[in-house]
Amino acid sequence: MKKKIFFIALVLFIIFFNSMILIVSNVILKDKLSAVRDKCLVEHYVIASSLIGDIQALEQRGNHVEENIENLMRLYSRYLQGKGNGLAVAFSGEWIYESPAFTSEENMIFPPDTGYSQERIVYMENGNCPVLCVYGSFPAPWQDYGLMYIGNLSDTIQTWRHTKNILFLTGAVVILIMSFFLFQFLNIIFRPLRQISSTSAEIANGNYSSRIQVRGKDETSSVAHNFNLMAEQIENQIKQLEDAAEQKQQFIDNFSHELRIPLTAIYGYAEYIQKALMSEEERYECTQFIMSECSRLQNMAYQLLDMALLRREEMKDSNCSVKELFAESEKIMYMRALEKNIRLTYVLSQNYVVRGNMEQLLILTNNLIDNAIKASRQEDEIRICAYSEESAIIIEVKDYGTGIEIEQISHIKEAFYRVDKARSRAAGGSGLGLAICEKIIQIHHADMSFISEPGVGTTVKLSFPV
């Protein structure tokens, strides 16, 4: 691209520059020829006026002009010979005198016909030696006579050619200098494009962090700036895709692991029932375990279905009373807390209202309370409270149980992730509760944060915009 622009611009510049030189040289030539023409006209007029006086004097003395014309013209020819110019006199259409500079073979054989008028004719002869000719007839009664002035143009043409050669030589030097600066100028212009090309190649090879150095505020700098923005967007999207792919792979790995354990146990107990001799009591215990694992698989399937539905769900424009939410939650979770003799304390200073779906928020709250029950010890307390904080309504679930390590907090929202895998399986957990909670929080444009310390307890804080 740069080479094409360079050669096209250079050719156009050479054509334009040489055309200007030709125009200037032609103007110079016309000026020089005009000056020579004016000079020849003046000298022709002076010599013709003087020659008329000489002819008149000869006739008054009774001498023939044709016989004495050469003596008359010798002085004028000697004057012009040093300049390379010449003279010729015509009488009745024939040359009666020719100076050495005038050769009829290279010029007109006979003088031009002026119709006996005093109008002077100026023309050029482009022979081996270019000359400028001025011819004019004498006034009456000498109208049969005519004078031809031949001006030598060799010096004028040679001077013009020398000037023209100097112009073209200067033009060649200027073209070389301009070519160098044009090449450097194109290098400066195309530097951002080269950087864009090399950077795009690096990005194509996987180096998404590569950027272009932006300089100036012209169009190419704007292109480079926009390219950097595009590269940044691509890098972010690639990173998001990689994170999503990693999460999906982790989800598949965890899901496979979660399926393998109960399926292995079910298959083992079923094979044991089929092949071993056992009492009715042992058979009952085996079938109870199989039913328990099947129930856990069924619960996992329902939770996966809930996640799939929540992924496509959008929050409906409705209001949810926190007071009603706490009342429904207490009805549902009372028996679950009673199993471990845990006290559920609901604290509500006033009836707050949040934008959201009652059923989804109930699932969210109950999942958090259920996790708190699993993490709590016998006869512990779990506090569920609501209050306002700046421009948000806060719902908080706080337990005083085992707590969570700091490095585990960033992973607890992942599907099938368990802080304590052995305890969670024993309690029937599938590791999907907080993943479902995260989906519900995203649908409601809210925020969920965790504050926890091992052995002290965990506080889950839900922040809903007013």
Side-chain angles (χ1 to χ4, degrees):
M1 182 68 179
K2 183 182 73 174
K3 291 182 179 179
K4 289 182 180 180
I5 294 177
F6 173 76
F7 284 116
I8 291 173
L10 183 61
V11 169
L12 292 176
F13 179 76
I14 290 174
I15 294 173
F16 173 77
F17 198 77
N18 287 335
S19 299
M20 295 301 298
I21 290 176
L22 287 175
I23 292 172
V24 171
S25 60
N26 286 333
V27 171
I28 292 173
L29 179 60
K30 288 182 179 180
D31 290 342
K32 288 182 177 293
L33 291 177
S34 179
V36 173
R37 178 180 178 277
D38 294 340
K39 180 181 178 183
C40 290
L41 285 171
V42 170
E43 291 189 350
H44 178 275
Y45 176 79
V46 172
I47 293 172
S49 300
S50 178
L51 187 57
I52 290 172
D54 293 338
I55 292 174
Q56 185 179 9
L58 281 175
E59 289 181 347
Q60 288 177 354
R61 290 196 298 268
N63 297 326
H64 294 286
V65 177
E66 293 82 355
E67 296 176 355
N68 295 282
I69 191 66
E70 189 159 345
N71 292 329
L72 290 175
M73 298 301 298
R74 186 178 294 118
L75 180 62
Y76 300 109
S77 298
R78 189 180 301 155
Y79 168 73
L80 296 175
Q81 189 173 3
K83 300 180 181 180
N85 300 334
L87 293 172
V89 180
F91 178 77
S92 299
E94 295 183 0
W95 298 113
I96 61 175
Y97 173 77
E98 299 174 2
S99 68
F102 181 83
T103 54
S104 58
E105 291 79 13
E106 297 181 0
N107 298 279
M108 297 180 63
I109 304 302
F110 52 87
D113 185 11
T114 61
Y116 297 106
S117 67
Q118 295 186 33
E119 182 182 359
R120 289 181 290 180
I121 299 174
V122 182
Y123 63 95
M124 284 185 62
E125 288 291 335
N126 296 319
N128 295 331
C129 183
V131 294
L132 183 68
C133 302
V134 180
Y135 180 81
S137 299
F138 291 173
W142 303 283
Q143 64 269 18
D144 291 333
Y145 291 94
L147 178 65
M148 172 77 80
Y149 183 94
I150 303 102
N152 188 1
L153 297 177
S154 298
D155 292 340
T156 302
I157 299 298
Q158 185 176 0
T159 303
W160 171 74
R161 287 175 178 170
H162 180 68
T163 303
K164 183 180 69 173
N165 292 336
I166 290 176
L167 288 176
F168 276 107
L169 181 61
T170 305
V173 174
V174 171
I175 288 172
L176 289 176
I177 295 174
M178 290 300 296
S179 301
F180 174 77
F181 284 107
L182 176 62
F183 188 78
Q184 297 299 324
F185 180 68
L186 290 177
N187 277 337
I188 295 173
I189 290 179
F190 279 87
R191 183 181 296 129
L193 297 181
R194 290 198 304 271
Q195 292 179 353
I196 291 173
S197 178
S198 60
T199 305
S200 60
E202 292 180 6
I203 292 175
N205 291 329
N207 185 13
Y208 300 107
S209 61
S210 182
R211 295 292 184 272
I212 301 172
Q213 187 175 4
V214 180
R215 295 178 179 177
K217 296 182 179 180
D218 54 3
E219 288 78 5
T220 52
S221 300
S222 177
V223 171
H225 176 70
N226 293 332
F227 182 88
N228 285 340
L229 293 179
M230 180 188 69
E232 185 176 354
Q233 292 293 330
I234 292 174
E235 183 181 11
N236 292 335
Q237 291 180 4
I238 292 296
K239 187 175 181 181
Q240 290 175 4
L241 290 174
E242 289 176 350
D243 292 342
E246 184 178 355
Q247 290 176 1
K248 288 180 180 179
Q249 186 61 44
Q250 187 176 3
F251 176 83
I252 293 171
D253 294 341
N254 291 336
F255 183 61
S256 302
H257 180 71
E258 292 298 323
L259 282 179
R260 186 175 66 251
I261 295 174
L263 289 176
T264 301
I266 291 171
Y267 182 82
Y269 276 98
E271 186 180 24
Y272 179 69
I273 293 172
Q274 184 182 30
K275 295 181 180 180
L277 294 175
M278 60 182 65
S279 63
E280 285 298 324
E281 185 179 355
E282 290 176 334
R283 188 182 299 273
Y284 177 78
E285 290 178 357
C286 290
T287 54
Q288 278 294 104
F289 185 85
I290 292 174
M291 290 177 65
S292 175
E293 292 299 309
C294 288
S295 176
R296 194 156 71 89
L297 288 175
Q298 186 182 38
N299 184 43
M300 187 189 303
Y302 286 152
Q303 288 183 323
L304 288 172
L305 180 61
D306 288 341
M307 287 185 64
L309 293 174
L310 288 171
R311 191 175 291 112
R312 297 188 294 268
E313 186 93 18
E314 292 184 1
M315 184 181 68
K316 298 178 182 178
D317 192 10
S318 60
N319 294 327
C320 175
S321 168
V322 177
K323 184 177 181 181
E324 294 179 8
L325 175 66
F326 281 6
E328 291 295 323
S329 174
E330 187 175 11
K331 291 177 185 178
I332 296 172
M333 300 306 297
Y334 175 76
M335 295 302 298
R336 176 77 178 88
L338 192 61
E339 295 175 1
K340 295 180 70 172
N341 199 21
I342 292 175
R343 184 172 70 259
L344 298 180
T345 304
Y346 290 86
V347 180
L348 183 64
S349 59
Q350 67 182 66
N351 186 16
Y352 296 102
V353 176
V354 297
R355 290 184 64 247
N357 181 273
M358 170 66 81
E359 295 180 0
Q360 293 178 0
L361 293 179
L362 188 60
I363 293 172
L364 170 65
T365 307
N366 289 345
N367 273 339
L368 296 177
I369 296 173
D370 186 65
N371 286 339
I373 292 172
K374 293 175 184 176
S376 299
R377 294 174 289 269
Q378 293 284 338
E379 298 182 357
D380 274 351
E381 180 188 11
I382 297 176
R383 291 177 60 84
I384 305 98
C385 59
Y387 56 91
S388 62
E389 185 179 85
E390 295 180 355
S391 59
I393 296 174
I394 308 300
I395 296 177
E396 195 174 86
V397 179
K398 183 175 183 179
D399 67 69
Y400 302 91
T402 57
I404 307 171
E405 296 288 344
I406 296 177
E407 59 271 11
Q408 293 180 323
I409 291 177
S410 59
H411 299 286
I412 58 178
K413 298 177 185 179
E414 298 173 4
F416 299 112
Y417 184 84
R418 291 188 178 92
V419 176
D420 186 347
K421 292 181 171 54
R423 178 180 60 79
S424 297
R425 286 199 182 93
S430 60
L432 293 172
L434 287 179
I436 294 174
C437 291
E438 179 66 16
K439 293 296 180 184
I440 296 174
I441 283 294
Q442 292 174 0
I443 292 172
H444 286 75
H445 307 290
D447 182 65
M448 180 170 62
S449 60
F450 293 81
I451 302 172
S452 184
E453 184 177 349
V456 177
T458 302
T459 300
V460 184
K461 188 175 181 182
L462 307 178
S463 177
F464 294 89
V466 175

